[in-house]
Amino acid sequence: MEKIQNFIGGKYMDPVKGQYLDNYDPGRGKVYSQIPNSTQEDLDLAVQAAEDGFRVWSKMSIDKRSRILLKLADLIEDNIKELAVAESRDNGKPYTLAISVDIPRAATNFRFYASSIVNFSSESHISEGFMVNYTRRAPIGIVGCISPWNLPLYLFSWKIAPALAMGNCVIAKPSEMTPMTAFMLGKLTKQAGMPPGVLNILHGEGSGIGQAIVESTSTKAISFTGGTATGKIVGATAAQQFKKVSLELGGKNPNLVFADCDLDEAVKMSVKSSFTNQGEICLCGSRILIESSIYDAFKKKFVEEASKLNVGDPFDEKSDLGALVSEAHLEKVQSYISLAQEEGGTVLLGGNRLPKDGFYLEPTIIEGLDQNCRTNQEEIFGPVVTLDKFSSEEEAINQANATRYGLSCTIWTNNLKKAHNVAHQIHSGIIWVNCWLLRDLRTPFGGMKDSGIGREGGNEALQFFSEPQNICIKL
Ligand code: NAP
């Protein structure tokens, strides 16, 4: 059985204590590889390597750093098939999605920040004849990047690309459930000419090596993407040392469908925003709120379209949905389907695990639930969506805002004024009007309320990963 290794100081290394964890193939429901269960000893080696790497990387010209990151983006594209196979096998997502979205986007992340850093400028303020103030933005040092399992290489690269572009060295931990593409990236960084110790990748448990990275006095900033409960622990731990921290957390995203929308388009895209990646995208719409006058028409078409989705082997190109990431996660999602029924909901479609090896669940649509019930308040993070009605703009806004989360929202309307008015009153970091998941990478990305603090994307990320220093000169 394949055993993967940590990547420290430009070398693949076994964990110091020799402990490993099983890694599952969710599409088959079987263990297929083993990953290091890293400990403090591995972190000590990574810190030493990162300190050495920082002396080289932080002094390297921006142009050279940029060229190395551009080369890395090219290498990801050159190895797209192998990476997509690994991503799909680790996560259970359809290979067609991994090869068309996840891996290309990882390459784009490196290319985007390789170009951004060349164009990044810091501010200067001149009080004519009196003083000049300018802001120097220096790399912070060693930073910790911790990412989840749902979009493995995509989110891993989304964090480490700006950190590296800014001149920091990184100690990164991918989710223990999807370590394979991060493991493969180590080799590509070497081929791209990245000096040893600049990117170090440790595998293992969140509560073990993840927590150790956050607690370490050597990591000066933490960029974390994951669940809100874990984010609370990470935020509290980082606060003890006044560490910079960015938290990209969970969501319970509303999808508002107004009667004046293009119904066919709203249905088609709502099927995507509900079930893409088995509903395991933080930005999936999980509560569809529909204006009463078109509720029945929307429901009929939506159920009809969703029932055409194929659930099956991630490597079968006919599969629209693959397997959920683990048996434990599948059971959690199923428990919410049972809860929804206990809460008075009616299952309109799906609800069942498929009788085959692997962790497969049918796309599930539920109606008849109050917005205050647990099913509509808690993040399920699977192919489960609820339908509900509203009868006025005000009610739509109130329902949309009625959870502790504030990550994203989609609005379907052909009334421009309404679109703006509603968008401005929704407490979410990202609002889509008549679309879903489109994003210019230059825009700030992140959530409000319990969906996180800080923003990633564009210059926000470069600013996060730098230490501003103001210098004032009297004229
Ligand atoms: P998670 O359980 O919170 O884990 C996220 C990462 O944190 C994993 O690498 C995990 O390691 C690690 N971790 C766990 N405990 C830790 C600790 N005490 N200290 C440091 N690291 C720790 O989340 P997940 O289940 O992987 O991902 C799903 C969640 O992520 C959902 O809530 C989803 O909405 C959210 N998400 C948010 C965004 C966004 O941009 N807002 C994007 C994607 C996903 P292990 O895997 O080894 O436990």
Side-chain angles (χ1 to χ4, degrees):
M1 184 175 302
E2 188 180 359
K3 254 187 187 171
I4 71 170
Q5 294 173 298
N6 288 327
F7 185 72
I8 301 173
K11 294 193 190 103
Y12 283 112
M13 295 171 83
D14 291 330
V16 175
K17 289 209 163 158
Q19 295 167 355
Y20 289 86
L21 301 166
D22 287 339
N23 184 28
Y24 278 80
D25 170 349
R28 308 275 175 283
K30 289 201 179 88
V31 175
Y32 85 102
S33 64
Q34 293 208 303
I35 75 162
N37 190 6
S38 304
T39 57
Q40 183 65 44
E41 288 75 5
D42 302 296
L43 178 57
D44 292 343
L45 292 176
V47 166
Q48 184 58 57
E51 280 172 357
D52 295 344
F54 188 68
R55 281 188 280 280
V56 179
W57 189 243
S58 61
K59 300 278 180 299
M60 192 180 273
S61 72
I62 286 175
D63 178 56
K64 198 162 175 204
R65 274 205 310 258
S66 168
R67 275 188 282 129
I68 291 171
L69 294 174
L70 287 172
K71 176 80 182 151
L72 182 55
D74 291 345
L75 287 166
I76 290 172
E77 282 167 351
D78 292 348
N79 290 275
I80 189 164
K81 278 196 184 146
E82 295 82 347
L83 287 162
V85 167
E87 187 98 328
S88 176
R89 196 161 187 212
D90 246 8
N91 172 274
K93 69 178 64 204
Y95 170 77
T96 48
L97 188 67
I99 199 154
S100 61
V101 177
D102 291 54
I103 309 302
R105 176 57 194 273
T108 303
N109 288 341
F110 283 110
R111 197 165 284 130
F112 175 79
Y113 279 108
S115 325
S116 300
I117 195 63
V118 174
N119 294 297
F120 186 62
S121 60
S122 57
E123 315 86 57
S124 86
H125 305 275
I126 303 173
S127 301
E128 216 51 69
F130 179 47
M131 63 177 169
V132 177
N133 282 253
Y134 69 88
T135 305
R136 173 177 174 254
R137 288 193 173 269
I140 305 173
I142 305 175
V143 301
C145 295
I146 298 177
S147 54
W149 48 259
N150 62 323
L151 301 166
L153 193 62
Y154 177 138
L155 289 174
F156 190 75
S157 55
W158 180 235
K159 305 192 155 304
I160 65 177
L164 295 174
M166 198 66 223
N168 300 284
C169 287
V170 173
I171 299 178
K173 190 199 99 61
S175 169
E176 72 191 73
M177 282 187 274
T178 52
M180 202 51 90
T181 44
F183 165 69
M184 293 163 77
L185 189 70
K187 188 174 74 181
L188 302 184
T189 63
K190 275 185 91 166
Q191 285 174 21
M194 193 176 282
V198 172
L199 174 63
N200 304 279
I201 303 165
L202 300 180
H203 300 277
E205 290 171 330
S207 54
I209 193 63
Q211 179 76 19
I213 292 171
V214 182
E215 278 175 6
S216 167
T217 51
S218 299
T219 53
K220 302 299 179 204
I222 301 293
S223 172
F224 171 85
T225 300
T228 295
T230 318
K232 219 176 232 182
I233 300 170
V234 169
T237 310
Q240 299 300 314
Q241 294 172 37
F242 307 106
K243 241 176 232 192
K244 272 185 140 179
V245 64
S246 156
L247 302 173
E248 297 295 344
L249 309 176
K252 191 73 186 174
N253 310 311
N255 182 353
L256 302 180
V257 186
F258 287 93
D260 56 18
C261 72
D262 175 338
L263 188 60
D264 288 340
E265 186 62 17
V267 167
K268 192 176 90 188
M269 201 47 84
S270 298
V271 169
K272 281 197 170 176
S273 67
S274 304
F275 302 118
T276 299
N277 206 44
Q278 303 74 243
E280 296 166 331
I281 301 182
C282 57
L283 304 165
C284 276
S286 52
R287 295 180 295 138
I288 309 188
L289 303 166
I290 307 143
E291 193 157 1
S292 308
S293 58
I294 59 157
Y295 183 85
D296 290 337
F298 180 94
K299 176 171 105 175
K300 185 166 177 290
K301 278 175 185 262
F302 183 68
V303 172
E304 228 169 70
E305 287 305 310
S307 66
K308 293 180 192 159
L309 295 171
N310 291 313
V311 185
D313 188 329
F315 292 98
D316 180 341
E317 62 183 29
K318 289 197 280 312
S319 297
D320 301 297
L321 281 77
L324 270 65
V325 73
S326 69
E327 184 140 45
H329 187 59
L330 171 69
E331 284 168 1
K332 180 193 138 186
V333 176
Q334 282 182 299
S335 78
Y336 274 102
I337 299 172
S338 305
L339 174 72
Q341 288 164 301
E342 283 160 32
E343 289 180 323
T346 304
V347 175
L348 300 174
L349 181 75
N352 302 304
R353 180 176 182 170
L354 297 196
K356 57 194 286 187
D357 290 341
F359 313 132
Y360 298 93
L361 184 68
E362 294 171 333
T364 302
I365 304 171
I366 301 168
E367 72 168 352
L369 289 170
D370 189 89
Q371 285 304 306
N372 295 321
C373 73
R374 279 184 55 206
T375 310
N376 275 327
Q377 289 291 317
E378 298 175 17
E379 187 183 43
I380 299 173
F381 214 54
V384 178
V385 71
T386 64
L387 306 186
D388 198 1
K389 295 175 193 177
F390 62 82
S391 45
S392 67
E393 211 171 291
E394 193 189 354
E395 194 186 1
I397 293 163
N398 288 340
Q399 288 185 356
N401 286 335
T403 74
R404 58 196 275 242
Y405 296 104
L407 190 54
S408 70
C409 171
T410 305
I411 301 169
W412 292 97
T413 177
N414 278 328
N415 180 328
L416 189 61
K417 196 169 162 194
K418 186 193 289 178
H420 286 289
N421 280 340
V422 173
H424 294 183
Q425 293 177 76
I426 300 290
H427 304 147
S428 293
I430 303 148
I431 313 272
W432 283 291
V433 178
N434 298 333
C435 60
W436 177 68
L437 216 58
L438 297 181
R439 205 165 71 78
D440 185 315
L441 298 190
R442 290 170 295 188
T443 56
F445 175 90
M448 295 181 182
K449 303 195 283 185
D450 285 12
S451 292
I453 53 165
R455 289 290 182 275
E456 299 186 344
N459 279 349
E460 307 263 345
L462 294 175
Q463 285 173 359
F464 174 77
F465 284 116
S466 63
E467 198 77 272
Q469 185 183 35
N470 282 322
I471 296 161
C472 176
I473 303 159
K474 190 167 183 319
L475 296 178

